[in-house]
Amino acid sequence: MATLSTPPAEQAGADPRNALLAGKLIHRKILIRLFLGWSILSLVVGGIVLFLEINRVEARVHQLALKESASFSGESAHNLDSIDRNAFEHLTELARQLVEQHFLVVELYDRSQQLKLEAVRDGEEFSEQTIGQYRHRFPKEQEFSHQLHFVDGELLLVVLVPLKDAQNALTGYFEGIYQVDRETLDGIEQEVFRTLAFVTLGISLTTLLMYPIMLNLNRWLIGLSNTLLKGNLELMNVLGHAIAERDSDTNSHNYRVTYYALRLGEALGLPPEKLRDLIAGAFLHDVGKIGIRDPILLKPGELTPEEFQVMQTHVLLGMNILNRSSWLRRARDVVEFHHEKYDGSGYVRGLKGQEIPLNARLFAIVDVFDALTSQRPYKEPLAVDEAIGLLEKGSGSHFDPRLTTVFIKLAPRLHEEVSRLNERRLETMLQQIIARYFLASA
Ligand code: C2E
Ligand code: SIN
Ligand code: SIN
Ligand code: FE
């Protein structure tokens, strides 16, 4: 009789290879996410800072343009529609002073938006032409307009200010092209870079703080899911053990058929999810025998047809047990169909060929092989060669011939491996294999 001293999930948690692999993956995932976060944050914050800096410069130029254009409005305003020679010369002089200082170009327009007077800084005729296409977007009265332009690496601001006399009546327009100087440009650049440096530093510090927290949270989550998994694997063991209490050989039978089925499934190249279902199915395939009365289950001789009918109900009894757990339900293909035969003569449903789920077709072969090579209350064990002979005989009628061919090649070596181990060692080995398969998915 089997005694389970080591719950399988404890071994699952202790498997260092999987833990290491999961750890590396998590590190990489966290680093990639942090880098993405950094990139996005840098773009957004850098963009905002650039925008704010340029707004700041615009506002400054705005103020300057208002101040400088003031010399053309108010008390000193001339109606630009009808301007005398003296006034023209005076205004030209004022405009020339402005282009010596901040502006590249200063122009005055009358109320009907006709150019009256222009001053251009020496050597800046080109800028004036280039920027020309953007000008003359005259604002409505009272409104001030400015537009920012990058021309040949220079930041230029075109400002347009309506001019008013002392009575606040429109007298014309002032338009200027203001060149943002190198120093200011460098200032903007520096401000953006400084901000990006702060963002980087901030994120690096946050990362340093967050990284261990994330790792711990993740470890905690893995721990939780392992606890859950451990519970389910324990449930599987408990059920296997419960039937072993009634039927002395079943527990090692369960371990043996699970081992055979897994090796056959691997040889067939089944995906891990199918193999996990196969493991659970193999381990629980006869769980319904819990519900079979001792006089039948433990009968030393051949069963009568009536007794065999009762015995066959172990399939449905098993399904009833599985249906109470969503996790155990993964075993259903094997439990429900492990007594179907390839030619359709099996029970419970009489399915044929490919209608029988692959895991059940596969399992039927290893179940019979182990039943044949084992002691049963009703029979003595057969030698491996004899058992293989019976499998060959059943190939195509009882068993899927393709799968039988593969298993027959493996059978002698697998049987050898299993015979060398006592029940305790077999159990330990199986639990390690089970843990590895189930932990890999977590
Ligand atoms: P089990 O002992 O695990 O056998 C599983 C399957 O292996 C059987 O399914 C059958 O297909 C095959 N098998 C087992 N022993 C032999 C054998 O000596 N010769 C051949 N050719 N095949 C064998 P099956 O027949 O549907 O039986 C299901 C379960 O019913 C068996 O599980 C066993 O627990 C029970 N059972 C079947 N026949 C007898 C019997 O004559 N006496 C008793 N006491 N129980 C039996
Ligand atoms: C089994 O098929 O699970 C074991 C059969 C038995 O020992 O009666
Ligand atoms: C397979 O072996 O991958 C599927 C073929 C089958 O259902 O037998
Ligand atoms: Fe069975």
Side-chain angles (χ1 to χ4, degrees):
M1 186 175 304
T3 36
L4 292 184
S5 54
T6 321
E10 256 172 43
Q11 300 193 359
D15 187 338
R17 280 188 309 161
N18 285 314
L20 211 66
L21 193 73
K24 272 187 188 156
L25 269 175
I26 285 307
H27 280 276
R28 183 149 19 116
K29 274 189 181 170
I30 292 179
L31 285 179
I32 288 173
R33 274 169 178 68
L34 285 171
F35 179 73
L36 279 178
W38 176 82
S39 307
I40 292 170
L41 212 58
S42 296
L43 272 177
V44 170
V45 175
I48 290 173
V49 170
L50 189 65
F51 176 79
L52 291 177
E53 279 297 300
I54 286 175
N55 264 1
R56 204 165 56 85
V57 171
E58 277 184 339
R60 218 172 63 207
V61 175
H62 178 161
Q63 287 307 319
L64 194 78
L66 279 181
K67 203 179 89 207
E68 309 223 315
S69 67
S71 41
F72 299 97
S73 7
E75 296 304 336
S76 53
H78 298 263
N79 189 338
L80 289 162
D81 290 356
S82 50
I83 190 170
D84 64 26
R85 192 167 175 75
N86 273 347
F88 181 83
E89 271 168 15
H90 171 64
L91 292 176
T92 305
E93 182 51 31
L94 276 176
R96 205 169 289 137
Q97 281 170 18
L98 290 185
V99 297
E100 312 269 270
Q101 300 166 33
H102 302 289
F103 288 91
L104 297 181
V105 178
V106 167
E107 289 172 343
L108 293 180
Y109 295 83
D110 65 17
R111 284 185 299 180
S112 46
Q113 304 176 355
Q114 297 302 307
L115 179 64
K116 280 292 169 175
L117 175 163
E118 179 180 54
V120 178
R121 188 186 294 175
D122 290 341
E124 293 297 341
E125 291 78 7
F126 175 71
S127 296
E128 196 227 345
Q129 273 176 16
T130 318
I131 207 75
Q133 54 187 311
Y134 303 115
R135 284 183 298 162
H136 314 314
R137 296 196 187 139
F138 284 90
K140 292 196 198 95
E141 284 186 37
Q142 312 294 339
E143 278 178 20
F144 173 93
S145 89
H146 60 262
Q147 297 163 346
L148 203 57
H149 299 285
F150 283 98
V151 178
D152 292 340
E154 300 288 348
L155 192 57
L156 301 180
L157 246 143
V158 180
V159 292
L160 224 162
V161 188
L163 299 172
K164 310 286 170 56
D165 63 14
Q167 283 73 47
N168 208 26
L170 184 72
T171 59
Y173 297 94
F174 168 95
E175 185 179 56
I177 299 178
Y178 182 93
Q179 180 181 29
V180 181
D181 56 78
R182 245 319 92 208
E183 217 176 299
T184 308
L185 276 181
D186 288 348
I188 293 175
E189 214 166 77
Q190 269 177 23
E191 194 55 44
V192 170
F193 279 119
R194 196 180 314 145
T195 307
L196 285 185
F198 273 120
V199 171
T200 308
L201 188 71
I203 290 180
S204 304
L205 285 176
T206 312
T207 306
L208 275 179
L209 283 173
M210 289 297 288
Y211 200 61
I213 296 176
M214 286 188 198
L215 277 184
N216 273 335
L217 269 180
N218 189 63
R219 222 169 271 150
W220 180 67
L221 271 179
I222 288 178
L224 274 188
S225 90
N226 271 351
T227 306
L228 216 64
L229 185 64
K230 185 171 151 182
N232 285 321
L233 290 172
E234 277 175 355
L235 182 59
M236 188 169 91
N237 251 328
V238 164
L239 283 171
H241 196 63
I243 171 69
E245 290 287 353
R246 305 245 352 256
D247 186 347
S248 59
D249 185 48
T250 306
N251 216 37
S252 28
H253 168 68
N254 281 344
Y255 286 123
R256 284 194 307 267
V257 291
T258 302
Y259 186 67
Y260 294 154
L262 183 58
R263 290 293 179 244
L264 177 55
E266 287 171 342
L268 292 167
L270 300 191
E273 190 49 33
K274 269 257 178 261
L275 290 176
R276 284 191 280 274
D277 293 350
L278 183 60
I279 289 170
F283 204 80
L284 297 171
H285 71 281
D286 270 342
V287 65
K289 281 186 179 170
I290 290 174
I292 304 296
R293 291 181 285 119
D294 280 355
I296 295 177
L297 183 67
L298 304 177
K299 182 174 177 179
E302 212 171 307
L303 299 176
T304 66
E306 293 75 28
E307 287 170 332
F308 191 56
Q309 266 194 336
V310 174
M311 180 54 98
Q312 290 184 356
T313 64
H314 79 277
V315 171
L316 291 177
L317 293 172
M319 288 303 290
N320 287 342
I321 291 171
L322 293 192
N323 279 335
R324 282 158 210 278
S325 153
S326 58
W327 194 86
L328 292 181
R329 232 171 280 152
R330 61 166 62 236
R332 132 190 87 190
D333 272 1
V334 171
V335 172
E336 188 169 6
F337 303 113
H338 73 281
H339 286 296
E340 301 291 347
K341 293 185 178 176
Y342 199 67
D343 62 6
S345 66
Y347 59 96
V348 177
R349 301 256 295 270
L351 298 184
K352 236 187 194 157
Q354 309 280 316
E355 291 171 358
I356 309 165
L358 175 63
N359 272 355
R361 264 179 284 144
L362 182 163
F363 180 78
I365 301 169
V366 304
D367 185 33
V368 173
F369 176 76
D370 189 63
L372 293 175
T373 52
S374 306
Q375 174 89 38
R376 288 283 189 271
Y378 63 96
K379 61 168 275 292
E380 288 305 310
L382 294 183
V384 176
D385 294 349
E386 293 175 278
I388 287 177
L390 285 178
L391 290 187
E392 279 169 337
K393 225 177 110 198
S395 177
S397 53
H398 190 162
F399 311 115
D400 181 335
R402 185 175 68 89
L403 308 183
T404 313
T405 309
V406 178
F407 182 68
I408 282 173
K409 291 198 194 106
L410 301 174
R413 185 172 55 80
L414 294 181
H415 184 262
E416 232 282 298
E417 277 174 36
V418 159
S419 315
R420 269 204 316 261
L421 302 172
N422 61 26
E423 181 170 324
R424 184 76 185 78
R425 304 256 312 271
L426 180 67
E427 185 188 319
T428 306
M429 177 183 75
L430 240 297
Q431 284 179 348
Q432 278 166 357
I433 293 175
I434 288 173
R436 192 159 66 240
Y437 266 98
F438 282 89
L439 193 80
S441 70

